[in-house]
Structures are given as C-alpha cells and as structure tokens.
C-alpha cells in the first residue's frame, strides 16, 4: 500500500480535529476523499505528509512514518495543495525550472514544453504567473507536482476553478497516470469528478470516516441505485441488458435504474450496442450523491 491510515486522531492547539480516520490507497488507484467543509480532509492530508503529529492511530506512506522518515517519503511524492504557493513575478518556465532544481533536476526547453502541454497550459511568451486565471494556476500546480515523476500524487481540490473542458483534460491526465501505476489521493467537493475517476472513496464527517471502500459496494449496501430518464427514437429492443432495470414509461421517457457496479458511461455503451436509440438522457438522482447526502446531512447543522 502507498498510504495506510488507521484510527487516526489529531488535535491542533488543544482542539480535537480528527477522531477516527482510516484510509488505504494502492498503486494505480485514484482514491476520492470527500466530506463537508471543515470535516478534516485537509488535516488528514497534512498528517499523511508528516506536517502534523497524530495524537493516536497510525499513518504510513510507502510503509514509512512520514514524520520520522520525511526525506525518503517526500522523494516519491507529488503534491498539489489547495493554496498553490506561486511566485507571481515568475513565468511558468522559470517557475518549473526553479522547482526542478530543488529535486536535483535540470529541464531542457523541450522538456518544459512537454510538461506544460501535458497539463494543457499554454501561456503567452513571458506572461507572469500573477496574470494567470485560477484554472491556469491549477494546471501549473499540477505540472509542478509531477516534476519528480512521483509514485504517489496527493491533490487537494485539483479541478477547482476549471471549466468543464479543463476538468476533463485534468481527468485524462490523472487516468493516464493511474494506468502507469501512480497512486492518487484526490480530495474534492465535486462528486462528478469522483464518479468519473475513483473506484474507492472515503467519506469524512466531523473528523471521522463514516464510509470507506469500493464505490459500487457502498452504493449497493445503501441501496443507492443510479436513476436516469431516457428519451428514445423508438421502442427499446426486447433483449435485456445487464445492470439495467426498466422502472417506468411516462410520456415517452423511460425511467431506468442502473446497477452501481457498472459506470453509467459503460451502460450507455451497452444500450447503444444493443440497439437503443438514445436521443436524450437526464439524471434523476441516486448514486454517489444520495450516498453522500445520506451520510452527511444528519451531522450538518
């Protein structure tokens, strides 16, 4: 395992922030860490980085204590914090060159262009970071986090401020990294990001992990099926499609419940391959959103 956290408790200036947090992340896995504002997500990340000392429980990164063996742990880490830490007077090329030297590396101009292209960043020549949009800064922060070709990437709200195209571009970068075996801890408020990227999640509420594990198994255990309405250009074929239950037909709209074990995108592919002529579809609820609300709303004032 790249990260193992168990029964983590932590206080800051005498105030208990975390009470019982657990998390495990392996190679090639994108793990979604979600929860309300103030739940303890960023504090959990700080503990994983060795920046805060646990009051109880264990934290292991690459099998090591990140506080006692910080140099060895950080050598394999790439980090994008919520607050980026940019030098506004620098250009992105100079910025990445500076941080590459901190890792003991020297980047050629072609390598710089490649790393910027990988995250979809193309500023004007000589443009200072101080003039960047929020989305441009997020892309630059991700490029910085990848400078040492990490085994483990820790991202705190990495798609915040990005438009839909930008979010999809970052998703594609992260999925490609996971395919190469990089483990990614992904903290976010955007459940759509988690739906697309993460097979396993942890939900933290008031400093406690209230759910952790495989998304499909969690959804099935809470009966949080994904419900959609589809409008077709004709009758659906009679052949059954696995992972789909037809619930109702109302005014030309078919209501379907999807088995959480199969991603919606894969179900649409199956339906189209089976001859369903889908003209329009709408999400009606269920899925990860219902699970999240069920586990957090009773604890939120």
């Amino acid at each position: 395992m790249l990260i193992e956290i168990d029964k983590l408790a932590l206080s800051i200036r005498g105030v208990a922030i975390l009470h019982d947090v657990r998390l495990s992340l392996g190679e090639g896995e994108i793990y979604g860490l979600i929860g309300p504002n103030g739940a303890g997500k960023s504090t959990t990340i700080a503990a994983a980085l060795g920046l805060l000392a646990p009051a109880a429980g264990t934290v292991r990164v690459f099998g090591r204590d990140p506080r006692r063996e910080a140099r060895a742990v950080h050598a394999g880490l790439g980090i994008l914090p919520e607050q980026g830490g940019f030098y506004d007077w620098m250009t992105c090329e100079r910025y990445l060159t500076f941080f590459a030297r901190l890792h003991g590396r020297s980047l050629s101009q072609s390598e710089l262009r490649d790393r910027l292209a990988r995250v979809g960043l193309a500023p004007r020549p000589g443009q200072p970071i101080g003039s960047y949009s929020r989305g441009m800064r997020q892309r630059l922060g991700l490029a910085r986090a990848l400078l040492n070709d990490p085994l483990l990437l820790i991202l705190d709200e990495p798609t915040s401020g990005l438009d839909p195209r930008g979010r999809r571009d970052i998703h594609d970068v992260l999925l490609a990294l996971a395919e190469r075996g990089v483990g990614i801890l992904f903290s976010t408020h955007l459940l759509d990001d988690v739906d697309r990227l993460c097979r396993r999640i942890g939900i933290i509420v008031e400093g406690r992990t209230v759910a952790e594990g495989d998304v499909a198994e969690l959804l099935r255990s809470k009966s949080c099926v994904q419900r959609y309405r589809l409008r077709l250009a004709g009758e659906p074929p009679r052949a059954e499609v696995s992972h789909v239950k037809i619930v109702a037909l109302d005014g030309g709209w078919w209501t379907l419940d999807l088995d959480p074990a199969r991603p919606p995108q894969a179900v649409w592919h199956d339906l189209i391959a089976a001859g369903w002529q889908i003209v329009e579809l709408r999400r009606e609820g269920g899925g990860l959103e219902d699970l999240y609300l069920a586990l957090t709303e009773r604890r939120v004032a």
Side-chain angles (χ1 to χ4, degrees):
M1 283 291 174
L2 300 180
I3 299 180
E4 293 179 280
I5 295 176
D6 188 43
K7 299 178 181 178
L8 173 62
L10 190 150
S11 298
I12 299 177
R13 292 187 288 275
V15 178
I17 306 298
L18 304 180
H19 305 278
D20 183 8
V21 172
R22 62 186 184 277
L23 184 160
S24 63
L25 183 153
E27 294 181 5
E29 182 177 24
I30 305 178
Y31 183 104
L33 184 63
I34 56 180
N37 290 329
K41 301 186 297 298
S42 294
T43 304
T44 299
I45 288 174
L49 296 175
L51 301 177
L52 295 173
T58 58
V59 178
R60 292 291 181 269
V61 180
F62 307 131
R64 303 171 183 266
D65 183 332
R67 287 183 60 80
R68 295 178 181 274
E69 301 179 81
R71 185 179 296 273
V73 167
H74 289 177
L77 279 179
I79 305 160
L80 176 59
E82 187 173 7
Q83 302 298 326
F86 299 105
Y87 304 126
D88 287 350
W89 52 273
M90 283 186 172
T91 64
C92 64
E93 293 86 357
R94 190 171 181 183
Y95 182 80
L96 291 183
T97 297
F98 171 75
F99 276 94
R101 287 173 179 167
L102 296 181
H103 289 294
R105 299 189 174 199
S106 178
L107 298 179
S108 68
Q109 287 301 308
S110 63
E111 288 174 318
L112 282 170
R113 287 193 297 269
D114 177 68
R115 289 180 178 275
L116 292 173
R118 191 187 307 180
V119 297
L121 184 59
R124 299 187 306 272
Q127 183 180 359
I129 294 171
S131 67
Y132 283 17
S133 67
R134 168 72 173 172
M136 292 175 71
R137 287 172 177 255
Q138 289 297 90
R139 292 172 187 270
L140 179 57
L142 182 56
R144 182 193 64 211
L146 294 171
L147 281 172
N148 62 329
D149 300 320
L151 300 172
L152 171 62
L153 196 56
I154 297 180
L155 310 174
D156 198 353
E157 302 289 347
T159 60
S160 175
L162 295 179
D163 60 23
R165 176 72 264 170
R167 286 174 57 203
R168 179 56 61 93
D169 289 344
I170 297 301
H171 290 178
D172 291 343
V173 171
L174 299 182
L175 290 168
L177 288 168
E179 287 181 2
R180 301 208 312 258
V182 177
I184 301 171
L185 177 60
F186 184 91
S187 174
T188 183
H189 288 96
L190 301 174
L191 297 184
D192 286 345
D193 287 359
V194 177
D195 259 334
R196 181 163 191 252
L197 296 173
C198 305
R199 187 180 65 83
R200 295 181 63 249
I201 61 169
I203 301 177
I204 298 179
V205 180
E206 295 181 351
R208 301 180 188 276
T209 298
V210 296
E212 202 261 353
D214 182 274
V215 174
E217 292 178 2
L218 290 172
L219 293 177
R220 193 180 296 111
S221 70
K222 301 295 183 180
S223 300
C224 293
V225 296
Q226 305 172 88
R227 176 160 290 186
Y228 287 83
R229 297 183 74 205
L230 276 65
R231 186 165 62 85
L232 308 178
E235 292 292 316
R238 293 189 177 185
E240 293 186 1
V241 177
S242 59
H243 305 286
V244 174
K245 178 183 178 182
I246 299 176
V247 177
L249 171 61
D250 179 22
W253 288 86
W254 296 82
T255 300
L256 308 180
D257 283 347
L258 276 54
D259 186 335
R262 190 156 178 79
Q265 295 90 339
V267 174
W268 310 143
H269 181 274
D270 295 343
L271 290 176
I272 292 170
W276 287 57
Q277 301 178 58
I278 302 174
V279 175
E280 187 177 355
L281 65 86
R282 298 176 182 175
R283 183 169 180 172
E284 290 293 293
L288 183 59
E289 182 178 4
D290 277 12
L291 174 67
Y292 178 87
L293 292 174
L295 292 173
T296 61
E297 62 184 354
R298 66 185 177 84
R299 295 176 171 86
V300 178

